């Protein structure tokens, strides 16, 4: 059905976002190793982790069996 296709596409999009967030965090960590005092990078790292948690919660709720 259309809903299943739409849901599957949404899942793929969310997984792609999770991969991008993970890659971003890896880059940020690498940069932090060279500059420990960069608060902008620390803030960005926190933001990406929050976004990843939101996406994971959405995926979890979608597949949660009650």
């Amino acid at each position: 059905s259309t809903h299943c296709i739409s849901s599957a596409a949404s899942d793929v999009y969310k997984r792609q976002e999770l991969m991008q967030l993970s890659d971003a965090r890896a880059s940020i960590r690498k940069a932090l190793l060279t500059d420990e005092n960069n608060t902008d990078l620390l803030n960005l790292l926190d933001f990406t982790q929050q976004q990843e948690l939101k996406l994971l919660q959405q995926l979890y709720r979608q597949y949660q069996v009650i």
Side-chain angles (χ1 to χ4, degrees), residues 20-32 37-53:
Q20 290 171 349
L21 289 168
S22 178
D23 291 345
R25 276 200 325 278
S27 296
I28 292 166
R29 281 195 180 95
K30 185 176 179 180
L32 285 173
N37 299 317
N38 195 327
T39 56
D40 289 339
L41 286 176
L42 288 169
N43 291 337
L44 185 56
L45 181 60
D46 288 342
F47 175 76
T48 61
Q49 288 173 330
Q50 291 169 8
Q51 292 301 103
E52 183 177 17
L53 284 174

Side-chain angles (χ1 to χ4, degrees), residues 8 17 58 66:
E17 283 188 336
Q58 289 173 4
I66 299 173

